[in-house]
Amino acid sequence: MRRTAPHPDQLPLGFGKDAEIERMIETRVAIRAEAEAVRWRFRLMIVETVLLTTMVIVTGLVLHQPTAIIARGALLIGATCLSTGILLILLTGLMGKLLSRTRRWRARRSEAILPWRRP
């Protein structure tokens, strides 16, 4: 098959750089997806906190409870839900990091042991 010379105005195509470009794109997409996941977790936590606090307020008003008791209950529920949600997000992130480090450690360990195994 005969190759024709490219037109002088045409941009040169570098097919050897595809793997590097793909790696860079995948890295950027992974960073963006991780940031979006954290934002969505915080949004969900805030929505749940507001929902539970509102439910406590509405329930207290329907049952004709004193305002001080309703406010205290709503404040306690809101603070507890918010702190539990933040703790859960932090623990999830820490466990993810721990699992990824464990996988990397096991992969390095298996690569180091591989030459020593008998066939």
Side-chain angles (χ1 to χ4, degrees):
M1 199 166 163
R2 193 178 121 194
R3 282 189 160 177
T4 60
H7 192 270
D9 293 336
Q10 182 180 356
L11 292 173
L13 298 175
F15 291 113
K17 300 177 184 177
D18 282 345
E20 181 182 340
I21 291 172
E22 284 292 324
R23 185 183 52 78
M24 288 173 26
I25 290 171
E26 286 177 4
T27 303
R28 289 181 181 179
V29 167
I31 290 169
R32 179 177 276 175
E34 187 176 339
E36 284 293 320
V38 170
R39 281 190 209 115
W40 275 105
R41 287 181 192 138
F42 275 114
R43 287 177 189 165
L44 180 62
M45 182 190 60
I46 296 297
V47 167
E48 288 176 351
T49 301
V50 169
L51 181 68
L52 285 174
T53 305
T54 306
M55 286 174 54
V56 168
I57 292 171
V58 169
T59 304
L61 292 174
V62 168
L63 295 175
H64 305 292
Q65 295 294 320
T67 309
I69 293 176
I70 295 173
R72 185 183 67 170
L75 183 66
L76 284 173
I77 292 294
T80 304
C81 187
L82 189 66
S83 62
T84 306
I86 289 174
L87 182 66
L88 185 62
I89 289 172
L90 290 175
L91 288 176
T92 303
L94 289 175
M95 282 303 295
K97 294 243 185 230
L98 180 68
L99 287 174
S100 66
R101 283 188 182 189
T102 305
R103 284 188 197 123
R104 280 186 279 171
W105 174 75
R106 291 184 78 188
R108 277 187 283 148
R109 186 176 144 231
S110 66
E111 288 174 3
I113 294 175
L114 191 61
W116 296 94
R117 288 188 181 165
R118 292 181 185 171

